[in-house]
Each structure stands twice: as C-alpha cells, then as structure tokens.
Amino acid sequence: MGPLVKMGEIAAGWDFVIAFIIGIFFGIVMEQAGFSSSKKITGWIYGYDFTVIRVFFTAAIVAMIGLVFMQYLGWINFGELFINPSYIWSILLGGALMGAGFAIGGFCPGTSIAAAAIGKIDAMVFVLGIMIGVFIFAEGFPIWDDLYTAANHGPLLITDLLGISKGVWTFIFILIAFATFWGTAALRKKYAHKELDYNN
Amino acid sequence: MEHKKQLRIYLLLTAVFMVLAIIMFFLPDKRVDKELSPRTLIKLYNHGNAYYSVDKVAKMIIDENPALQLVDVRSEAEFAEFSLPGAINIPLEKILEKDEHNNYVWKEYLRPEKKITVFYSNGDLKAAQAWTLATRLRMDKVFMLEGGLNNWFDKIMTPEAPKATTATPEEYAAYEFRKMAKTFFGRANAGQAASITAEENANSAPVVKKKKVVSEGGGC
Amino acid sequence: MEKMKYMNPYLAGFFLGLVLLAAFYFSAEGLGGSGAPKRLVVGAVEAVAPNHAYNNEFYNSYTQNGERNPLSNWVVVQVVGLLAGGFLSGTFSGRLKLVTEHSPKITAKRRLYMALIGGILFGIGSQFGRGCTSGAALSGMAVFSAAGYLTLIAIFGTAFIVGKFVKKLWI
C-alpha cells in the first residue's frame, strides 16, 4: 500500500532515487509540452495558446481519478499524503505575488528550471530572481511572521469543506475541465491570428 | 481531413472521461484517518530518532538554541519545584483537553514548524505518552528526553568519571562536557541565573501566543 | 537538428498526471519547483553566515541549528532530476540553444529585467503561498486540498489581470 516509502514498503534510502527518476520524467513532460518557452506559457492570458491550462487541468484530473481509484482499491493510504495547510491570507497574498510574477516573468519555478536546462537565458535569470525573492522573504521574515501564520485552517480538504465525497468532486472537476477545454478551443480560433514570431 | 480526425479523437476522449466522471460520482469515499497509522508510528519509533540524549539537550540549552522547545509533562507542583531552563509545562493530565473546535488545546502552544519539541518527565513513561499523542497528531520534530530527569541528574548533575582502564577518548570527551554542563546548570540552579530561569518558566507556561500547528511545507 | 513539434497538450497533461500520481504513490510528496531554489538559498546563507541562519526563524526551520542539511531533501533531488529531464528532452527534440526568448516588441535586455522581476515576485510569493504552481496548486488540487484550489485561483486570477497591463511584453 502506498505511499511506499512512508509506509515502509521500500527502504527509505530509495526515496532520493525515486525523487530523481520522477524529476527526470517531470522535466521531460514539461519540456515536451512546451513549458520551456515563456511565449507558450503566457499564451493563455491573451488567448493565443492554452497549452498551460490544458496540461494543468488534464494532469489534475488524471491524478485525481488515479488517487480516487487507488484509494478505493486500497492501494494508497490517502491519510499519509501531504496536504498543504490552508493559511488563507498568506495563500492569497502569495498567490497574488506569484500571479504577477507569472505575467511579468513568463515562467513559474518548475517551468523556469526546465527552460533553463535547455539554455533559455531568460529562464536562468528567472531562477536567479526566485532565489533573490526567497532571500528577501527570509531576511524580512520577522516582519511578516504573523501574517504568514495567520488564519490557519490546517490541512483542509475541499471535499470536507463542501461536504461531498472525493468522487463527486472529481466528477464536478472533470465537467469544469472539459468545459474549459472546449471553451478554449473556440477562443483559440478567434485569437489565433495574434500569434507573433518569436526569435527562437 | 487531419483536423476532422483530431476532432473525432477529442470527442471520443470527452466521452470516455464523462463515463469515468460518472463512475467517480458513485464511488464510495473512504474515511481518511487524520491521525497517523499505528504502523507508521511504530516505524518512526523504531528508527531510533524518537529520543534526544541528555547530553544533546544539555548542549542545546547551553548554546541557547532557539529551535529547542522543552515541554515538561509532569504535574504543575513538580514543575514549580524543578524544571529545565526554558521549559513550558503541559501536565499529562491536561494533554487530552480539547477546545470548542475539537482541537487539542496544547497543540496551540507548540510551533513544530519552527521548533524542535522535546518532551520530558521524571522517567520515560509520561514523556513517551505525550510523544505518542503528538506524533499521532502528525506533529513534526517531536522527541523525548532519553531517560528523563532521572537520567539528567545521573549523567549531567553527577557525572561519573570513566574507568581509566577501559575508557575511550570519546568517553573522556563526554565526561569533560558533562563536568562543564554541571558547572553551568549548577550555577543556573543556585546563582543569579536562577531568577532568569524562573521568570522564563513563569512566562512560558501555557500563556504563549496562540498559534496553530502546521507541518513543515512539503511539495514546493 | 530539426526542431520537433511540441507534444499534444492533453497527452502531455496525461503524462504529467501519471508522474504526479507516481510521486504520491512512492513518496507521498507532490511535484515542486520552488523548494529547491529556496533550500539552495538557505544552504548558501548557512554556509556564509551560520549564526545569522540559526537566529532567523525561517532559515532555522530548515537548518535546525545545523542539525539538518537543507539540501538533503526530496524536492531538491527531484529538481536535479527535472534539470536532467529537461536537458534530455531538449536534446532529443533539437531545442538545445542558448537564447533569450523575447517578443519582437521588446529588447532582450528588457526581457531579462522582466524575468528577474518576475522571478523575485515568484520567490517571495511562493514562500507566502507555501509552494508554487506545481507544488501548491497542481499537487494540492490532486489531493483535494482546499489550499491548492485557493492557490490556483489566486495565481491564475492575478496573472490574468496583471497580464492585461503588461501585454506589450508578450504580444
């Protein structure tokens, strides 16, 4: 029963080997999807390329369906998975900063690393920026410590919040995702002419 | 032509996922245990990192390590009589108290995302109960003082010189450290530092700022 | 080598979902990108000024006064793999090229400044959000975490609004 390392099914030493292999596949998929190009990543904002949303939502529904089935079949102990805690204000502020960084910088951390790997200089600068940002956050930590830990609702699940089962939420989310897929396909036709020739 | 073919594939995929969605809808949910499974708990315990040795804790106190949070789980009377510097008191009898949101009250006083929590009692038993509860509630970085205060007095306050014939250099180093620690804590217990300790204890008894507990962020 | 076309986004998403699922099945951890740069910063600060690192609560939650190596962590190893995977994929698809990619409407220099600003914002934001797009939003969504959905809405919502003001950077 998974998670294998945490449940002691395989030795803890394998953890890093698995992390490395998963990282490799993560990198390959992101690069193949075109996430190594900021032009493709920001396309959804202006309606000329919806790759990000399509990849993102497809990945989410595949993982959700997989987790629901695995839990149903008893292959995974859902309680052992890491659930990120809901610190409402901190998340909203952080999300807003990240959103601005997304629109201005054209990457997010994972994609910038994949892009830096194939030689995108803008991505390398972006990674440098992340480190500067972390440094600023850390040095000023005493100032925002209280905000950082305010309004914590713990590892809250959306299914518990809405009082529905994981399967029902997956059902709803699949509907949302497919509505988005077909909707963006229609939008893409409308804005396709806006594509510009980048210098790569 | 190519475009039509792609459209057909997309329509087919949509249909497949709609079927999956409907199956999902009717799949029963399993109750998720919010507490750590007994199996994982035993694994954590057996890994041998559930304990902090008295030497390690002594060194952390002397170094004024800001990450250390000692928690005395003995009764209030015992705590008032003697406690380790910087410890807060959460008597074991109070450990099962819950607030109106059904959260354990004492969880609010500890901040495991920032602190290393070390439970101690006179022996091992009470500390072990506190450790088990905290670990089951998925608190990160919680430990017990190995051997409790009895061991503390044996090793730190009355250090025993290693036998000259069999002792290794490490044992001598440990002995030297303990002698030094004894001087440190002896002074702290008797002299001017005592007032500081007492004050700290008074302040840090469960009136600490209310902050909820989190585990250290994973994922990113 | 001739450049190959990108993978179909739905197929890529399907594979990404499987990778995510594997990460959960084996190690209980989701995918992440910002954890490694963060830990690199913590490690660097600890190496340069250990006392400063131990006195700052943020750094010390990762170093524990030198008790823990901030770089000995799942997400760090995973990001090393991510670099390797990205490089492999770029090699096979003929996309390996040292270049500053920018819209014809702005100069390369401007693009680099903007990338730096964006990175800094993301660096700060990912700390407040306790994870980035992949770590908090994608992994969080997959495990039904309310925080994951909130992060998703906050990131994509703000990006959409801010994007309207920085249109010139892209199109």
Side-chain angles (χ1 to χ4, degrees):
Chain A
M1 189 154 105
L4 294 185
V5 174
K6 221 170 169 185
M7 300 293 285
E9 305 261 347
I10 45 178
W14 284 98
D15 215 14
F16 283 179
V17 179
I18 292 161
F20 186 68
I21 294 169
I22 283 173
I24 288 180
F25 281 107
F26 187 27
I28 292 175
V29 172
M30 291 229 281
E31 208 286 325
Q32 285 297 324
F35 283 4
S36 51
S37 159
S38 54
K39 176 198 177 192
K40 251 183 130 48
I41 293 175
T42 49
W44 66 273
I45 301 176
Y46 310 107
Y48 64 78
D49 193 325
F50 288 102
T51 307
V52 169
I53 291 179
R54 287 172 183 168
V55 173
F56 211 77
F57 277 25
T58 313
I61 55 179
V62 168
M64 281 158 79
I65 293 172
L67 279 179
V68 171
F69 268 124
M70 281 160 89
Q71 192 195 2
Y72 178 71
L73 297 171
W75 292 358
I76 196 161
N77 183 350
F78 193 85
E80 295 298 323
L81 299 181
F82 175 76
I83 312 286
N84 36 348
S86 295
Y87 290 86
I88 310 282
W89 300 120
S90 192
I91 285 177
L92 286 177
L93 175 65
L97 288 170
M98 286 193 268
F102 196 122
I104 295 169
F107 286 114
C108 65
T111 55
S112 70
I113 291 164
I118 64 157
K120 292 274 160 62
I121 298 167
D122 43 338
M124 296 173 194
V125 173
F126 189 91
V127 176
L128 180 73
I130 296 173
M131 295 202 231
I132 297 172
V134 171
F135 185 70
I136 294 171
F137 178 86
E139 291 301 320
F141 188 69
I143 305 168
W144 32 71
D145 186 10
D146 284 337
L147 175 66
Y148 182 67
T149 44
N152 176 22
H153 294 263
L156 185 66
L157 294 186
I158 192 149
T159 48
D160 289 343
L161 192 70
L162 301 176
I164 53 178
S165 77
K166 294 190 183 64
V168 172
W169 175 257
T170 311
F171 169 80
I172 294 170
F173 197 78
I174 291 175
L175 294 189
I176 296 174
F178 273 85
T180 316
F181 295 156
W182 287 102
T184 55
L187 277 176
R188 170 96 164 79
K189 276 186 198 131
K190 205 169 139 198
Y191 289 101
H193 64 279
K194 283 205 173 171
E195 251 181 278
L196 286 180
D197 200 18
Y198 275 41
N199 62 331
N200 61 330
Chain B
M1 202 55 222
E2 189 66 26
H3 194 76
K4 269 214 169 121
K5 198 177 144 205
Q6 199 186 29
L7 191 69
R8 255 212 310 276
I9 295 172
Y10 282 168
L11 281 170
L12 183 72
L13 278 175
T14 310
V16 169
F17 271 87
M18 286 307 132
V19 173
L20 273 172
I22 290 163
I23 296 173
M24 289 285 125
F25 191 91
F26 292 106
L27 220 52
D29 210 355
K30 280 198 182 157
R31 214 187 112 262
V32 174
D33 204 354
K34 285 194 173 129
E35 300 192 348
L36 208 64
S37 67
R39 198 169 152 184
T40 319
L41 188 75
I42 290 168
K43 203 183 118 222
L44 273 174
Y45 186 82
N46 287 343
H47 268 220
N49 4 339
Y51 285 104
Y52 262 33
S53 72
V54 286
D55 290 315
K56 196 169 180 176
V57 171
K59 185 164 187 319
M60 288 174 94
I61 298 174
I62 294 169
D63 290 347
E64 294 180 354
N65 190 324
L68 178 69
Q69 179 61 68
L70 285 165
V71 179
D72 194 322
V73 294
R74 300 171 306 155
S75 70
E76 278 168 39
E78 282 174 299
F79 180 74
E81 204 173 294
F82 173 82
S83 70
L84 295 178
I88 65 168
N89 183 214
I90 302 174
L92 197 57
E93 303 81 66
K94 291 197 174 165
I95 226 154
L96 288 173
E97 275 179 18
K98 288 185 171 184
D99 65 8
E100 65 272 25
H101 302 298
N102 208 29
N103 292 317
Y104 292 100
V105 176
W106 59 278
K107 270 180 89 180
E108 308 226 336
Y109 307 125
L110 308 174
R111 301 186 68 185
E113 79 275 25
K114 291 174 175 168
K115 301 277 191 184
I116 300 168
T117 308
V118 180
F119 291 110
Y120 75 85
S121 50
N122 283 332
D124 272 337
L125 195 61
K126 277 184 169 181
Q129 291 174 36
W131 179 87
T132 307
L133 187 60
T135 309
R136 280 214 71 185
L137 294 174
R138 299 178 182 285
M139 263 175 61
D140 213 5
K141 291 173 274 185
V142 288
F143 302 91
M144 302 166 258
L145 180 66
E146 194 169 17
L149 285 178
N150 294 336
N151 195 26
W152 175 272
F153 278 106
D154 279 353
K155 294 240 175 76
I156 304 291
M157 304 313 283
T158 50
E160 204 174 291
K163 286 198 184 79
T165 45
T166 54
T168 60
E170 287 81 30
E171 283 173 0
Y172 271 112
Y175 176 60
E176 287 306 317
F177 169 75
R178 284 171 187 168
K179 273 206 299 194
M180 191 271 286
K182 184 193 172 186
T183 330
F184 177 88
F185 289 109
R187 210 178 51 229
N189 282 347
Q192 79 281 36
S195 59
I196 300 169
T197 320
E199 203 177 298
E200 260 177 355
N201 289 341
N203 285 342
S204 49
V207 282
V208 196
K209 228 163 131 193
K210 275 207 169 187
K211 290 226 163 129
K212 292 235 177 168
V213 173
V214 273
S215 53
E216 191 183 305
C220 259
Chain C
M1 208 198 309
E2 200 192 327
K3 268 210 266 187
M4 290 207 288
K5 271 173 78 177
Y6 291 121
M7 194 188 276
N8 177 299
Y10 300 113
L11 190 61
F14 177 73
F15 284 130
L16 185 57
L18 291 187
V19 174
L20 184 56
L21 209 51
F24 284 130
Y25 183 64
F26 284 105
S27 300
E29 307 255 2
L31 300 169
S34 66
K38 169 179 74 189
R39 286 172 180 273
L40 208 57
V41 170
V42 174
V45 170
E46 193 193 11
V48 175
N51 282 326
H52 178 66
Y54 302 152
N55 284 323
N56 178 310
E57 272 196 89
F58 178 78
Y59 293 128
N60 210 29
S61 65
Y62 298 101
T63 61
Q64 303 291 0
N65 280 50
E67 298 253 318
R68 280 192 190 181
N69 178 1
L71 294 178
S72 168
N73 185 277
W74 202 90
V75 286
V76 177
V77 182
Q78 185 233 251
V79 162
V80 177
L82 166 56
L83 266 174
F87 184 78
L88 277 177
S89 163
T91 312
F92 283 117
S93 300
R95 283 192 283 265
L96 223 51
K97 193 182 171 193
L98 212 57
V99 64
T100 305
E101 193 184 36
H102 62 93
S103 155
K105 292 190 176 169
I106 56 168
T107 61
K109 208 170 158 187
R110 193 172 155 83
R111 166 75 187 116
L112 290 184
Y113 281 130
M114 288 303 152
L116 188 69
I117 295 171
I120 292 173
L121 286 171
F122 234 112
I124 301 174
S126 63
Q127 296 320 304
F128 277 113
R130 290 174 169 77
C132 61
T133 335
S134 37
L138 181 60
S139 307
M141 284 160 73
V143 293
F144 305 91
S145 143
Y149 289 92
L150 193 61
T151 315
L152 172 85
I153 293 166
I155 294 180
F156 281 69
T158 321
F160 192 73
I161 296 164
V162 175
K164 296 294 161 200
F165 294 99
V166 293
K167 206 169 173 177
K168 258 184 75 182
L169 294 177
W170 307 108
I171 55 169

